[in-house]
Amino acid sequence: MTSCLPIGNGQFGATLMGQVAVDDVQFNDKTLWSGKLGGLTSTADYGSYLNFGNLFISSHGMKKVTDYVRYLDINNAVAGVQFCMDGVAYRRTYFASNPDSCIVIRYTASQRGKISTTLALMDQNGGYVRYVVDKVNQATITFDGQIARQKDGGAATPESYCCTARVVTEGGKVRKNAKGLIEVSNADCMTIYLRGLTDFDPDAPEYVAGSGRLASRAAATVDSAQRKGYAALLAAHKADYRSLFDRCQFTLGDSKADISTPQLISSYRDNPHDNLFLEELYFSYGRYLLISSSRGISLPANLQGIWNNSNTPAWHADIHANINVQMNYWPAEPTNLSELHRPFLDYIYREACVRPSWHRFAKDMGHVDAGWTLPTENNIYGSGTTFADTYTVANAWYCQHLWQHYMYTMDREYLRTRAFSVMKSAVDYWLRKLVKASDGTYECPDEWSPEHGPTENATAHSQQLVWDLFNSTRKAIKVLGDDMVSRTFRDSLAGCFARLDDGCHTEVNPADGQTYLREWKYTSQFDNPDRVGVDEYRTHRHISHLMGLYPCSQISEDGDMTVFRAARTSLLARGDGHGTGWSLGHKINLNARAHEGLHCHNLIRRALQQTWSTDVDERAGGIYENLWDAHAPYQIDGNFGYTAGIAEMLLQSYNGKLVILPALPTDFWTKGAVKGLKAVGNFTVDITWAKARAEEIRIVSHAGTVCVVKYAGVADDFKLTAGDGKPLAYECTGNDEISFPTVKGGVYILVSK
């Protein structure tokens, strides 16, 4: 998993090693799990994301080859292998098509009759594989099976799965060999159409239905792909993928991609300044991975996206709810991939408002007979584990994503029909759960600050998240109208919000005399080894008490500056030189919100250091040679955290203003451009800069709301025009701030004078 190249259509994907003699195509579907339905269980029993299978393609007569190249073209989502042998040029191409719901593999050669292979399909869950020669130029390989599952009362209906691989050649011959495997001899080219399916059905009582139709569905998929033909499949795949990927582009100076990725990583380690292409490549790779792992069925990308070659993956490759799955979706809105947020958001809606388990967990975990909540460790069947079972504030964190999607899209119908009912139900939970403290404020009782320290009332983490939930819900009611809820609910929410502890307490560190944000209201983070640990305020991978700084918006320069400075001091104390891959990504976003461009870049350089460790080792954070994030081991959230962090360094809009280049690392990013970032209020923003100063800011308004732009010297040093060049007036609304009305579809350009 540290060297493979990933492809995926959002739900079904594969990893490619690119070996010449034996080509191993390992594949997954997001829905193939073992596990338990119903109530909470132990970490050992709630299940795991499973390896679906492997397709092994053994090429005959492979000797020493030359001119070997293995590549992943993220501009087109196409992977490939090229090499020469005995004067013949061989090419292998791979892609995972979303429009046609299958993986396509193509083998060609520069001379006719040079493709000779043996194909073996392996079910990694023990099923029998069937090999059938359909005709002289076609074969079909299939397997199917079931995964046992449990529920509270015993055995549940098993989850069924099925896989079909169609092998088609031009020229040559297809037959079964003495071992019963498919053998291709002397073909001009070979194309394989591969699809794995399960009967996972999120709306069925036990999350599975239609097992009897799996074989016909898989066969229909490969039949349709074969009829369409390779050229048409590839064209449709590229058009579909590029409609998403091309929306947002990030470039730094005149950086170029003219060396291999391993060499680029090595050169960057020795000289980051001259190898900035790695920084822009890693940004784009995060968007590629999100497109490839978050489409289709309403399930989020898990700890490994959709790629997993083990039936015992680290942390079960689960849906981890105390930062990890949330981080997977941090880049979705700002980097113009809003549709890819929906599988996660629709999953939240289903489990919170339609299915029973999360309502049950409100009582089982929170001891509250209202609303919903969820555990930290989750499978795809609405269940999870008792790990950290006092941590129930993930419901408020999930709601932050629902509200963010509305704020970026301004989709009122989505807010009314999907997001609001989830948010209101979470508020119902907390209105019952909160307790009144001796200081007269309302506190979240017995909460944890992931993942260390004591369990106690009013952790900064829980209070800031509930503050954000209540604040967003009040804003949603204002958008939708008072008749969305009862007056009793409105009054209860307003009264509780007014007296809610905001989680923004401070304390002085006796070691340096500086003021820090408290992580626990009643327990000091300093000199407290029995309760917190030694120096964890400087070393711990989680930064759970800064939720109000990022991803929420409670703490900012536009708010209480004492709190903002305390949060920044706490953040900087965590340091730039250590952390798991995802922790480094988290700190990039936090430092961007703190306008610490230099520290952002320190963290970028640390995040892009190669690691080789595949054991659980939080000291080995970085990247592998295939640019997957290392916790270690491999964990995809750090890829997404980095991409979101770059966007946050270039544009912030969380407080209703377009803040331009708020955390630019001026010593490194002196020249660059970003196109297609999205902002709150449904604006699309392009920025070009040189000598570390913005030169042009292009804004497209998709909702026709007032636009506020904040940038040093924007009122005096820039002129505002419409898209047709017509000068426009604006109002100065603050220090380095201007405001102007927009119309839906209008283009507005700020150019440096």
Side-chain angles (χ1 to χ4, degrees):
M1 298 294 278
T2 65
S3 300
C4 61
L5 300 180
I7 59 173
N9 68 8
Q11 179 174 327
F12 186 56
T15 59
L16 315 167
M17 285 301 298
Q19 308 100 317
V20 171
V22 181
D23 188 4
D24 179 4
V25 180
Q26 182 273 321
F27 54 93
N28 297 96
D29 187 273
K30 184 186 290 190
T31 64
L32 187 64
W33 268 73
S34 64
K36 181 184 179 294
L37 291 71
L40 299 174
T41 187
S42 69
T43 297
D45 294 330
Y46 76 118
S48 287
Y49 184 46
L50 299 177
N51 182 356
F52 209 126
N54 294 69
L55 175 63
F56 297 102
I57 309 169
S58 300
S59 292
H60 304 167
M62 290 290 112
K63 299 176 292 186
K64 185 176 181 180
V65 303
T66 61
D67 304 316
Y68 177 89
V69 175
R70 184 183 68 144
Y71 66 87
L72 176 60
D73 174 5
I74 64 172
N75 287 322
N76 294 291
V78 174
V81 171
Q82 300 169 192
F83 58 89
C84 295
M85 189 183 73
D86 295 338
V88 180
Y90 293 86
R91 180 183 293 271
R92 302 170 182 176
T93 306
Y94 315 77
F95 62 91
S97 168
N98 182 275
D100 293 285
S101 192
C102 64
I103 289 170
V104 182
I105 304 164
R106 176 90 158 178
Y107 275 41
T108 61
S110 61
Q111 295 179 19
R112 299 182 68 177
K114 292 297 183 179
I115 305 298
S116 295
T117 64
T118 300
L119 295 99
L121 191 62
M122 178 177 287
D123 178 356
Q124 289 292 352
N125 297 285
Y128 176 72
V129 181
R130 294 170 292 277
Y131 298 85
V132 177
V133 175
D134 304 313
K135 47 192 173 183
V136 69
N137 294 117
Q138 178 181 307
T140 302
I141 315 172
T142 61
F143 65 73
D144 57 72
Q146 293 183 327
I147 305 296
R149 303 183 305 153
Q150 299 295 313
K151 58 184 178 182
D152 292 336
T157 305
E159 181 171 334
S160 298
Y161 62 89
C162 174
C163 178
T164 296
R166 173 69 47 76
V167 183
V168 181
T169 68
E170 296 176 20
K173 186 176 181 179
V174 177
R175 66 181 186 91
K176 288 176 72 171
N177 67 14
K179 294 182 179 181
L181 304 178
I182 297 301
E183 192 164 288
V184 172
S185 301
N186 307 120
D188 300 334
C189 71
M190 176 181 70
T191 307
I192 303 166
Y193 309 99
L194 176 69
R195 182 61 169 114
L197 294 169
T198 78
D199 65 347
F200 177 81
D201 182 346
D203 300 317
E206 291 192 352
Y207 289 88
V208 294
S211 61
R213 300 190 301 274
L214 282 180
S216 60
R217 287 174 55 203
T221 299
V222 298
D223 286 345
S224 175
Q226 183 179 354
R227 286 193 302 271
K228 191 168 184 176
Y230 176 80
L233 288 170
L234 180 59
H237 162 70
K238 288 182 177 180
D240 169 73
Y241 171 79
R242 297 199 70 152
S243 70
L244 296 166
F245 185 76
D246 287 353
R247 293 175 184 175
C248 182
Q249 302 290 330
F250 169 53
T251 56
L252 287 172
D254 301 315
S255 57
K256 297 178 181 179
D258 55 1
I259 57 175
S260 69
T261 302
Q263 181 58 51
L264 177 62
I265 295 170
S266 177
S267 298
Y268 179 86
R269 181 188 63 235
D270 297 334
N271 185 357
H273 201 282
D274 291 343
N275 292 278
L276 294 176
F277 179 71
L278 182 60
E279 297 179 11
E280 64 177 77
L281 174 64
Y282 201 53
F283 170 85
S284 297
Y285 190 50
R287 296 184 71 250
Y288 166 82
L289 291 172
L290 191 59
I291 297 169
S292 302
S293 65
S294 188
R295 303 175 77 184
I297 201 159
S298 54
L299 287 174
N302 62 45
L303 280 174
Q304 295 183 185
I306 59 172
W307 300 280
N308 170 38
N309 68 345
S310 169
N311 282 353
T312 57
W315 297 284
H316 302 247
D318 71 358
I319 303 169
H320 223 73
N322 70 1
I323 190 171
N324 311 95
V325 71
Q326 294 94 325
M327 186 179 289
N328 286 358
Y329 289 91
W330 285 354
E333 302 295 341
T335 72
N336 214 333
L337 294 172
S338 187
E339 302 97 317
L340 307 187
H341 211 169
R342 288 302 296 260
F344 181 38
L345 304 180
D346 292 344
Y347 157 81
I348 295 170
Y349 171 80
R350 179 183 71 245
E351 299 299 336
C353 292
V354 180
R355 305 304 302 240
S357 291
W358 289 7
H359 289 281
R360 172 181 174 176
F361 296 156
K363 184 178 291 186
D364 293 350
M365 297 174 62
H367 312 294
V368 169
D369 192 16
W372 63 277
T373 194
L374 71 153
T376 297
E377 298 177 327
N378 296 269
N379 63 29
I380 65 171
Y381 309 120
S383 187
T385 78
T386 54
F387 169 77
D389 60 357
T390 64
Y391 181 75
T392 71
V393 78
N395 58 2
W397 198 341
Y398 274 23
C399 287
Q400 190 265 337
H401 282 261
L402 296 161
W403 178 246
Q404 182 199 39
H405 182 69
Y406 166 73
M407 290 295 289
Y408 272 83
T409 63
M410 306 301 287
D411 185 344
R412 193 172 180 274
E413 185 64 10
Y414 152 82
L415 180 63
R416 185 182 67 81
T417 61
R418 286 277 170 168
F420 186 75
S421 58
V422 183
M423 296 167 67
K424 179 186 179 298
S425 186
V427 171
D428 287 334
Y429 173 88
W430 284 105
L431 288 176
R432 296 278 189 92
K433 176 80 171 171
L434 293 168
V435 296
K436 199 167 187 178
S438 59
D439 63 6
T441 64
Y442 284 108
E443 298 178 343
C444 304
D446 299 322
E447 277 287 331
W448 190 42
S449 187
E451 290 183 357
H452 68 150
T455 295
E456 66 179 35
N457 288 11
T459 65
H461 180 81
S462 60
Q463 296 300 144
Q464 290 169 20
L465 281 170
V466 173
W467 189 96
D468 186 79
L469 170 66
F470 283 12
N471 189 45
S472 299
T473 304
R474 293 179 73 219
K475 290 178 179 179
I477 293 170
K478 187 174 182 180
V479 171
L480 297 173
D482 286 350
D483 58 352
M484 285 295 295
V485 295
S486 68
R487 181 168 182 175
T488 299
F489 178 86
R490 293 197 308 273
D491 291 346
S492 296
L493 175 58
C496 195
F497 184 55
R499 289 175 288 171
L500 182 69
D501 187 299
D502 63 6
C504 292
H505 304 280
T506 61
E507 63 178 320
V508 175
N509 183 351
D512 59 22
Q514 296 191 75
T515 300
Y516 289 66
L517 203 68
R518 294 188 72 102
E519 188 159 358
W520 299 271
K521 184 175 180 179
Y522 299 107
T523 297
S524 175
Q525 62 197 309
F526 308 119
D527 299 326
N528 206 345
D530 293 336
R531 297 280 284 165
V532 177
V534 178
D535 281 348
E536 290 205 354
Y537 76 94
R538 294 192 296 118
T539 61
H540 203 271
R541 63 192 179 279
H542 282 265
I543 315 102
S544 296
H545 56 314
L546 300 187
M547 298 302 299
L549 182 64
Y550 184 90
C552 304
S553 57
Q554 177 188 5
I555 300 171
S556 74
E557 283 189 325
D558 292 333
D560 187 323
M561 281 301 296
T562 298
V563 172
F564 178 76
R565 293 189 189 100
R568 184 166 58 188
T569 299
S570 298
L571 171 63
L572 298 182
R574 277 294 205 268
D576 303 337
H578 61 89
T580 61
W582 63 261
S583 178
L584 295 166
H586 188 191
K587 287 191 281 190
I588 294 170
N589 285 275
L590 287 164
N591 275 277
R593 286 282 178 93
H595 301 170
E596 294 285 349
L598 175 60
H599 287 285
C600 286
H601 202 263
N602 290 343
L603 288 157
I604 288 170
R605 301 203 316 266
R606 176 61 187 83
L608 294 178
Q609 297 305 301
Q610 186 172 356
T611 185
W612 288 266
S613 175
T614 56
D615 296 325
V616 176
D617 183 358
E618 66 180 73
R619 297 167 301 177
I623 55 173
Y624 297 114
E625 68 173 355
N626 64 352
L627 297 187
W628 261 344
D629 168 67
H631 176 286
Y634 159 55
Q635 198 168 289
I636 204 168
D637 41 17
N639 288 100
F640 298 135
Y642 174 96
T643 296
I646 298 298
E648 204 70 26
M649 293 165 68
L650 300 173
L651 175 68
Q652 295 174 17
S653 61
Y654 58 92
N655 276 341
K657 305 172 184 177
L658 307 187
V659 184
I660 308 300
L661 304 181
L664 194 72
T666 54
D667 290 344
F668 288 86
W669 294 2
T670 56
K671 179 182 178 183
V674 65
K675 296 182 179 180
L677 290 176
K678 295 289 289 195
V680 166
N682 202 0
F683 296 98
T684 301
V685 182
D686 303 343
I687 309 167
T688 58
W689 68 92
K691 297 180 181 179
R693 284 284 298 171
E695 290 190 328
E696 181 176 297
I697 305 160
R698 184 179 186 272
I699 302 165
V700 180
S701 174
H702 302 284
T705 56
V706 171
C707 182
V708 179
V709 178
K710 183 174 182 178
Y711 184 66
V714 68
D716 298 326
D717 301 338
F718 287 76
K719 61 179 180 180
L720 176 66
T721 68
D724 60 4
K726 180 181 178 181
L728 296 175
Y730 54 81
E731 178 185 356
C732 294
T733 54
N735 293 332
D736 299 315
E737 246 179 55
I738 64 170
S739 172
F740 52 92
T742 72
V743 297
K744 189 174 183 179
V747 177
Y748 305 87
I749 302 173
L750 283 158
V751 180
S752 179
K753 295 177 181 177

Short mmCIF file of all heavy atoms in Angstrom, two decimals, residues 128-151:
data_model
loop_
_atom_site.label_atom_id
_atom_site.label_comp_id
_atom_site.label_asym_id
_atom_site.label_seq_id
_atom_site.Cartn_x
_atom_site.Cartn_y
_atom_site.Cartn_z
N TYR A 128 -15.42 -19.63 -4.29
CA TYR A 128 -14.96 -20.43 -5.44
C TYR A 128 -15.01 -19.57 -6.70
O TYR A 128 -15.98 -18.84 -6.94
CB TYR A 128 -15.86 -21.66 -5.61
CG TYR A 128 -15.54 -22.50 -6.82
CD1 TYR A 128 -14.39 -23.28 -6.86
CD2 TYR A 128 -16.38 -22.49 -7.92
CE1 TYR A 128 -14.09 -24.05 -7.97
CE2 TYR A 128 -16.09 -23.26 -9.04
CZ TYR A 128 -14.94 -24.03 -9.06
OH TYR A 128 -14.65 -24.79 -10.17
N VAL A 129 -13.96 -19.66 -7.52
CA VAL A 129 -13.86 -18.86 -8.74
C VAL A 129 -14.16 -19.75 -9.94
O VAL A 129 -13.64 -20.87 -10.06
CB VAL A 129 -12.45 -18.23 -8.88
CG1 VAL A 129 -12.37 -17.38 -10.14
CG2 VAL A 129 -12.10 -17.41 -7.64
N ARG A 130 -15.01 -19.25 -10.85
CA ARG A 130 -15.42 -19.98 -12.05
C ARG A 130 -14.83 -19.32 -13.28
O ARG A 130 -14.91 -18.09 -13.44
CB ARG A 130 -16.95 -20.01 -12.15
CG ARG A 130 -17.60 -20.82 -11.04
CD ARG A 130 -19.11 -20.65 -11.01
NE ARG A 130 -19.49 -19.30 -10.63
CZ ARG A 130 -19.58 -18.89 -9.36
NH1 ARG A 130 -19.31 -19.74 -8.37
NH2 ARG A 130 -19.94 -17.66 -9.08
N TYR A 131 -14.25 -20.13 -14.16
CA TYR A 131 -13.63 -19.66 -15.40
C TYR A 131 -14.39 -20.26 -16.57
O TYR A 131 -14.50 -21.49 -16.68
CB TYR A 131 -12.17 -20.08 -15.45
CG TYR A 131 -11.31 -19.50 -14.34
CD1 TYR A 131 -11.23 -20.13 -13.10
CD2 TYR A 131 -10.60 -18.33 -14.53
CE1 TYR A 131 -10.45 -19.61 -12.08
CE2 TYR A 131 -9.81 -17.79 -13.52
CZ TYR A 131 -9.75 -18.43 -12.30
OH TYR A 131 -8.96 -17.91 -11.29
N VAL A 132 -14.91 -19.41 -17.45
CA VAL A 132 -15.70 -19.88 -18.59
C VAL A 132 -15.19 -19.21 -19.86
O VAL A 132 -15.07 -17.97 -19.91
CB VAL A 132 -17.20 -19.56 -18.40
CG1 VAL A 132 -18.00 -19.97 -19.63
CG2 VAL A 132 -17.74 -20.24 -17.15
N VAL A 133 -14.88 -20.00 -20.87
CA VAL A 133 -14.55 -19.46 -22.19
C VAL A 133 -15.86 -19.33 -22.96
O VAL A 133 -16.52 -20.32 -23.26
CB VAL A 133 -13.57 -20.36 -22.93
CG1 VAL A 133 -13.33 -19.83 -24.34
CG2 VAL A 133 -12.25 -20.46 -22.17
N ASP A 134 -16.23 -18.09 -23.26
CA ASP A 134 -17.49 -17.84 -23.94
C ASP A 134 -17.38 -18.11 -25.44
O ASP A 134 -18.30 -18.62 -26.07
CB ASP A 134 -17.94 -16.40 -23.72
CG ASP A 134 -18.06 -16.05 -22.25
OD1 ASP A 134 -18.66 -16.85 -21.50
OD2 ASP A 134 -17.55 -15.00 -21.83
N LYS A 135 -16.25 -17.71 -26.01
CA LYS A 135 -15.97 -17.93 -27.42
C LYS A 135 -14.50 -17.71 -27.66
O LYS A 135 -13.74 -17.44 -26.71
CB LYS A 135 -16.83 -17.03 -28.30
CG LYS A 135 -16.88 -15.57 -27.90
CD LYS A 135 -17.97 -14.83 -28.66
CE LYS A 135 -18.17 -13.41 -28.15
NZ LYS A 135 -19.28 -12.72 -28.84
N VAL A 136 -14.08 -17.80 -28.91
CA VAL A 136 -12.65 -17.83 -29.19
C VAL A 136 -11.93 -16.58 -28.71
O VAL A 136 -10.75 -16.63 -28.36
CB VAL A 136 -12.40 -18.05 -30.70
CG1 VAL A 136 -12.85 -16.83 -31.52
CG2 VAL A 136 -10.92 -18.36 -30.97
N ASN A 137 -12.62 -15.45 -28.63
CA ASN A 137 -11.99 -14.19 -28.21
C ASN A 137 -12.60 -13.61 -26.94
O ASN A 137 -12.48 -12.41 -26.69
CB ASN A 137 -12.07 -13.15 -29.33
CG ASN A 137 -11.26 -13.54 -30.54
OD1 ASN A 137 -11.81 -13.73 -31.62
ND2 ASN A 137 -9.94 -13.68 -30.37
N GLN A 138 -13.23 -14.45 -26.13
CA GLN A 138 -13.89 -13.91 -24.93
C GLN A 138 -13.97 -14.96 -23.84
O GLN A 138 -14.26 -16.13 -24.10
CB GLN A 138 -15.30 -13.42 -25.29
CG GLN A 138 -16.08 -12.88 -24.10
CD GLN A 138 -17.48 -12.45 -24.47
OE1 GLN A 138 -17.65 -11.66 -25.40
NE2 GLN A 138 -18.46 -12.94 -23.76
N ALA A 139 -13.75 -14.52 -22.60
CA ALA A 139 -13.94 -15.37 -21.43
C ALA A 139 -14.54 -14.54 -20.31
O ALA A 139 -14.42 -13.30 -20.29
CB ALA A 139 -12.61 -15.97 -20.98
N THR A 140 -15.19 -15.23 -19.37
CA THR A 140 -15.79 -14.58 -18.21
C THR A 140 -15.35 -15.32 -16.96
O THR A 140 -15.44 -16.55 -16.89
CB THR A 140 -17.32 -14.56 -18.30
OG1 THR A 140 -17.72 -13.89 -19.51
CG2 THR A 140 -17.92 -13.83 -17.11
N ILE A 141 -14.88 -14.56 -15.98
CA ILE A 141 -14.44 -15.12 -14.70
C ILE A 141 -15.34 -14.53 -13.61
O ILE A 141 -15.55 -13.32 -13.57
CB ILE A 141 -12.97 -14.79 -14.41
CG1 ILE A 141 -12.09 -15.00 -15.64
CG2 ILE A 141 -12.46 -15.59 -13.23
CD1 ILE A 141 -10.66 -14.51 -15.46
N THR A 142 -15.85 -15.38 -12.73
CA THR A 142 -16.76 -14.90 -11.70
C THR A 142 -16.48 -15.56 -10.36
O THR A 142 -15.91 -16.66 -10.29
CB THR A 142 -18.23 -15.18 -12.07
OG1 THR A 142 -18.42 -16.60 -12.20
CG2 THR A 142 -18.62 -14.50 -13.37
N PHE A 143 -16.87 -14.89 -9.31
CA PHE A 143 -16.97 -15.53 -7.99
C PHE A 143 -18.07 -14.83 -7.21
O PHE A 143 -18.48 -13.71 -7.53
CB PHE A 143 -15.64 -15.54 -7.23
CG PHE A 143 -15.09 -14.19 -6.82
CD1 PHE A 143 -15.65 -13.45 -5.79
CD2 PHE A 143 -13.95 -13.68 -7.44
CE1 PHE A 143 -15.11 -12.24 -5.40
CE2 PHE A 143 -13.40 -12.46 -7.06
CZ PHE A 143 -13.98 -11.73 -6.04
N ASP A 144 -18.56 -15.49 -6.19
CA ASP A 144 -19.55 -14.91 -5.29
C ASP A 144 -19.42 -15.55 -3.94
O ASP A 144 -18.79 -16.61 -3.78
CB ASP A 144 -20.96 -15.06 -5.84
CG ASP A 144 -21.34 -16.50 -6.10
OD1 ASP A 144 -21.54 -17.25 -5.13
OD2 ASP A 144 -21.40 -16.89 -7.29
N GLY A 145 -20.01 -14.93 -2.93
CA GLY A 145 -19.93 -15.46 -1.58
C GLY A 145 -20.74 -14.63 -0.61
O GLY A 145 -21.50 -13.73 -1.02
N GLN A 146 -20.59 -14.95 0.66
CA GLN A 146 -21.32 -14.24 1.71
C GLN A 146 -20.38 -13.96 2.87
O GLN A 146 -19.47 -14.74 3.16
CB GLN A 146 -22.50 -15.07 2.20
CG GLN A 146 -23.60 -15.26 1.15
CD GLN A 146 -24.78 -16.02 1.70
OE1 GLN A 146 -24.64 -16.91 2.56
NE2 GLN A 146 -25.98 -15.69 1.21
N ILE A 147 -20.64 -12.83 3.54
CA ILE A 147 -19.90 -12.45 4.73
C ILE A 147 -20.87 -12.54 5.92
O ILE A 147 -21.90 -11.86 5.93
CB ILE A 147 -19.36 -11.01 4.62
CG1 ILE A 147 -18.49 -10.86 3.36
CG2 ILE A 147 -18.57 -10.65 5.87
CD1 ILE A 147 -17.25 -11.70 3.34
N ALA A 148 -20.52 -13.35 6.89
CA ALA A 148 -21.37 -13.50 8.07
C ALA A 148 -21.39 -12.20 8.87
O ALA A 148 -20.38 -11.50 8.98
CB ALA A 148 -20.85 -14.64 8.94
N ARG A 149 -22.56 -11.89 9.41
CA ARG A 149 -22.73 -10.70 10.25
C ARG A 149 -23.55 -11.09 11.48
O ARG A 149 -24.23 -12.10 11.51
CB ARG A 149 -23.42 -9.58 9.48
CG ARG A 149 -22.71 -9.16 8.21
CD ARG A 149 -23.42 -7.99 7.54
NE ARG A 149 -24.82 -8.30 7.29
CZ ARG A 149 -25.80 -7.37 7.21
NH1 ARG A 149 -25.51 -6.10 7.35
NH2 ARG A 149 -27.04 -7.73 6.97
N GLN A 150 -23.49 -10.21 12.48
CA GLN A 150 -24.21 -10.43 13.72
C GLN A 150 -25.14 -9.27 14.00
O GLN A 150 -24.96 -8.16 13.49
CB GLN A 150 -23.23 -10.60 14.89
CG GLN A 150 -22.28 -11.77 14.76
CD GLN A 150 -22.99 -13.10 14.78
OE1 GLN A 150 -23.84 -13.34 15.63
NE2 GLN A 150 -22.65 -13.98 13.83
N LYS A 151 -26.15 -9.54 14.82
CA LYS A 151 -26.99 -8.49 15.39
C LYS A 151 -27.20 -8.80 16.86
O LYS A 151 -26.70 -9.82 17.36
CB LYS A 151 -28.31 -8.38 14.64
CG LYS A 151 -29.15 -9.65 14.62
CD LYS A 151 -30.40 -9.46 13.78
CE LYS A 151 -31.23 -10.74 13.72
NZ LYS A 151 -32.44 -10.57 12.87
#
